[in-house]
Amino acid sequence: MVFLRKYLEACGCEPDLIALIRLISRQMDAIRKAFLENQMYEHTLNASGELQAQMDTWADEHLIKVVGESGLVREMASEEQEDIIRFENSRCEYCMVMDPLDGSSLISTNLAVGTIVGIYEKGGVLQPGSKLRAAFYTLFGPLTVLVVSVGKGVQSFAWDPESEHYLLLKDSFSVPEGKQFGTGGVRNDWLPAHTKVIEYFDDQGFKMRYSGSFVADCHQLLVYGGIYTYPGSQKSPNGKLRLLFEANPLGFIITQAGGSITDGTRNIMDIVPEKPHQKTPIYIGSKGIIKKIEEIYSHS
Ligand code: AFP
């Protein structure tokens, strides 16, 4: 059996980076426990549809506290925080971006949600995704799965509650071309280029798969190939998803698995962020499909 720590050591990761990845990925039991407690005891919140907001805040505050106390992170940005957080007393220079609970509106329906994290070696959080030192996500599905890349391909681990370790599931991913797609947004609001992209998928006999949780949909494409997109629209030209907290960490992972990510015209991993909550249209998936999408955009 291969444990997470041993695997990261074998990849040549610095001890502090290993400590940070292990620290965050080990908070998932606490988050799962909070799901249960909120479902059981906060029926009023549940009924009014506020459970997800409550859980977003809980996970955010919990992870910020744990990271702050660790002394491993100098600067941090969270999807749930307006401003960048600085930990002046940190002994490390790592800078971290996170979406503490992606897809949280699915908690009430018990579909898969997860936590997304990106780590820069130093130099602040406003850096292109290509500069990430590591990225990972945990996904709460039938198993709690950790998918990680430290720049040496992509690996997945499953949490074993008995031994309390993450055990290696798969040590190498390569995104298959695949023939399925999921698109966010509302058809009436799509831009003409996106409509053409979807028509192309329909013509090619692609199958529709969309859960409403970016992290779960990306995990699906890591395994089965195809594409996830949340496009820009007439009302929101930059779409819905955040460059720092969603696009970059998942873009890093999918790129490491041989896939690609674009906003339609350029590789998202090269975008220099101007502000923490910057949004971007997203097409993420297997290389051939992304190439085709950029081609469709260039003729639109
Ligand atoms: P929540 O975390 O607020 O549920 O948002 C999830 C998300 O950012 C992303 O994970 C989904 O792919 C996307 O929004 C779903 O958006 P739609 O509900 O508009 O399809």
Side-chain angles (χ1 to χ4, degrees), residues 37-56:
E37 282 169 5
N38 279 285
Q39 296 270 10
M40 300 287 280
Y41 307 122
E42 301 288 350
H43 292 292
T44 48
L45 287 168
N46 219 350
S48 64
E50 290 295 321
L51 175 64
Q52 56 272 24
Q54 159 111 349
M55 277 308 306
D56 274 327

Side-chain angles (χ1 to χ4, degrees), residues 27-35 37-38 51-66 80 98 100-101:
Q27 301 311 312
M28 301 318 149
D29 260 5
I31 293 179
R32 267 192 187 284
K33 198 158 169 256
F35 290 157
E37 282 169 5
N38 279 285
L51 175 64
Q52 56 272 24
Q54 159 111 349
M55 277 308 306
D56 274 327
T57 307
W58 190 92
D60 184 51
E61 287 172 356
H62 178 73
L63 291 176
I64 291 172
K65 181 170 172 283
V66 166
E80 298 302 320
M98 73 166 178
L101 211 47

